[in-house]
Amino acid sequence: MSVFVILYFACLIIASCLAAFYEKRGPFILLFSLTLISFVLGIVGGTGALRFIAIAAAALAFAAGVSYSFREFLVLLMPKNLGKELKTAPLTAAFGMFVIFTYAIAAIFAPWIAPFGESEVIASSFAPADENMLLGADQLGRDMFSRIIYGARNSVGLALSATIAAFVLGAGAGLLAATKGGWFDQFMGRFADVIMSIPSLIFALLMLSIFGPQVYVIIIAVAIIYAPRVFRLTRAVAGNVVVMDYIEAAKLRGEKDSYLIRKEILPNSTAPLIAEFGLEFCFVFLLVAGLSFLGLGIQPPTADWGSMVRENATLISFGDITPLIPAAAIALLTVAVNFVVDWMLFRSSGLKEQ
């Protein structure tokens, strides 16, 4: 164990010195702070605490390496202008893009990646992991790994569909209200205020209790809940555009509202709307997962991460962390999307790296 401790501290000190030599202020602060924390934890917690810190640091370094490699891969694939923008993306944004890409691959190719069907019973209830089942079986004997893979298609697909519906509804209404103005703008604003005053979870539970937990009902309910939020942002962004001189010139030329929205207002409002789409997806994804956990989301036997946590929660009392894996999948995607959205907001704000 003493050799492990010596090698660990030697690697940290060497990495800190290299970061200081190449004047990398951020990495130096991170590495030197990790060295101090490790030293304190080594005194207080002993070798076990140091081993935990070492594993966490190795995982962080591996994630940084994967993020850097994936960013360079995207730079090579994309056109020159877009590749130049991606080159400036921080490693957090690159990590987020890598996670999103991984989830997309799992969702699209789920039938080929998963070793078993999402509702196929192959073992006894709560069977442990073996050479055929990577994560063991659930309460009905279905392969947990296969259901998590299919859950990427079902959970993310439902959240994405609901987000698109909410965004089309809210952004369309916001652009139209900003263009027309007058009584229509006032009416849409007050109507959005009324919808936003209703608690989202209560409204969703009421809709699903009345009409049943069908997929289209979930999409409609979520679209109604989050469309006013998109409307408020779109109306604010488009309101700053419609007062520009080129909009007045287009109106004097006799251009219709549809032309103004498509050719003048929307192209100048794209960046904040794309960032808002990512944020709305996170909110919708968490709401859909919460509804599934309550039993009112995607219904069995369809695989869904929220319902998988609820169905296998009894394993936690036996020290099995398998139910936490779909919960971790939900959290990882939410964090990844937020990383990408933060970078997009930074770029759209006009700020530059120092």
Side-chain angles (χ1 to χ4, degrees):
M1 290 299 181
S2 59
V3 177
F4 165 77
V5 173
I6 294 174
L7 290 176
Y8 174 66
F9 277 106
C11 291
L12 282 179
I13 294 173
I14 292 173
S16 301
C17 293
L18 289 175
F21 178 78
Y22 288 103
E23 298 181 353
K24 300 295 183 180
R25 185 172 182 272
F28 171 75
I29 293 176
L30 177 63
L31 291 169
F32 190 71
S33 300
L34 182 61
T35 304
L36 293 178
I37 293 173
S38 300
F39 180 75
V40 173
L41 288 179
I43 297 176
V44 176
T47 307
L50 279 179
R51 184 177 296 276
F52 175 79
I53 294 294
I55 293 174
L60 183 62
F62 177 77
V66 171
S67 302
Y68 179 81
S69 301
F70 186 72
R71 185 182 66 183
E72 296 302 314
F73 173 73
L74 291 179
V75 169
L76 293 176
L77 287 183
M78 296 299 172
K80 186 176 181 180
N81 292 335
L82 185 56
K84 186 178 180 180
E85 289 291 329
L86 289 173
K87 189 74 174 178
T88 64
L91 291 183
T92 53
F95 176 76
M97 288 184 280
F98 174 75
V99 172
I100 294 172
F101 175 77
T102 304
Y103 277 59
I105 293 297
I108 295 172
F109 300 102
W112 294 274
I113 297 176
F116 303 100
E118 62 179 326
S119 59
E120 182 180 356
V121 178
I122 60 172
S124 59
S125 299
F126 300 127
D130 55 24
E131 65 275 4
N132 296 320
M133 297 184 299
L134 183 63
L135 300 176
D138 64 1
Q139 82 283 6
L140 296 179
R142 299 168 297 189
D143 181 37
M144 282 286 292
F145 176 74
S146 299
R147 287 182 62 78
I148 288 176
I149 296 297
Y150 276 99
R153 166 180 290 189
N154 301 324
S155 301
V156 179
L158 177 59
L160 184 61
S161 301
T163 305
I164 292 174
F167 208 81
V168 170
L169 185 62
L175 292 171
L176 194 60
T179 305
K180 287 188 172 299
W183 68 268
F184 182 78
D185 185 16
Q186 293 294 324
F187 172 77
M188 293 302 297
R190 302 296 76 75
F191 182 74
D193 292 339
V194 171
I195 299 298
M196 291 183 65
S197 65
I198 304 174
S200 58
L201 183 59
I202 294 177
F203 181 81
L205 292 175
L206 180 63
M207 291 281 291
L208 294 172
S209 300
I210 295 174
F211 300 103
Q214 306 297 327
V215 173
Y216 71 91
V217 177
I218 298 174
I219 294 176
I220 293 174
V222 172
I224 294 174
I225 291 170
Y226 287 102
R229 304 171 187 268
V230 182
F231 168 83
R232 297 277 301 261
L233 176 71
T234 307
R235 172 63 185 85
V237 174
N240 294 328
V241 178
V242 295
V243 297
M244 296 296 180
D245 293 338
Y246 58 86
I247 299 294
E248 295 297 329
K251 289 181 179 179
L252 292 175
R253 292 198 310 265
E255 302 292 354
K256 296 182 179 179
D257 291 340
S258 59
Y259 175 88
L260 295 176
I261 292 174
R262 290 184 295 105
K263 299 295 185 178
E264 303 290 351
I265 301 175
L266 187 59
N268 291 284
S269 308
T270 304
L273 293 182
I274 293 177
E276 176 65 16
F277 182 86
L279 292 175
E280 291 297 327
F281 172 79
C282 293
F283 296 142
V284 170
F285 186 49
L286 293 175
L287 177 60
V288 170
L291 292 174
S292 297
F293 182 81
L294 296 174
L296 292 174
I298 299 176
Q299 297 299 297
T302 305
D304 176 74
W305 289 338
S307 59
M308 289 174 64
V309 176
R310 173 177 54 85
E311 293 168 354
N312 300 280
T314 55
L315 289 176
I316 299 178
S317 59
F318 296 99
D320 192 337
I321 64 170
T322 303
L324 299 180
I325 296 177
I330 296 172
L332 180 61
L333 180 59
T334 304
V335 172
V337 173
N338 274 283
F339 281 159
V340 178
V341 169
D342 286 343
W343 173 62
M344 294 178 64
L345 287 173
F346 177 82
R347 298 301 301 174
S348 63
S349 66
L351 299 175
K352 300 298 181 182
E353 295 281 0
Q354 298 296 327

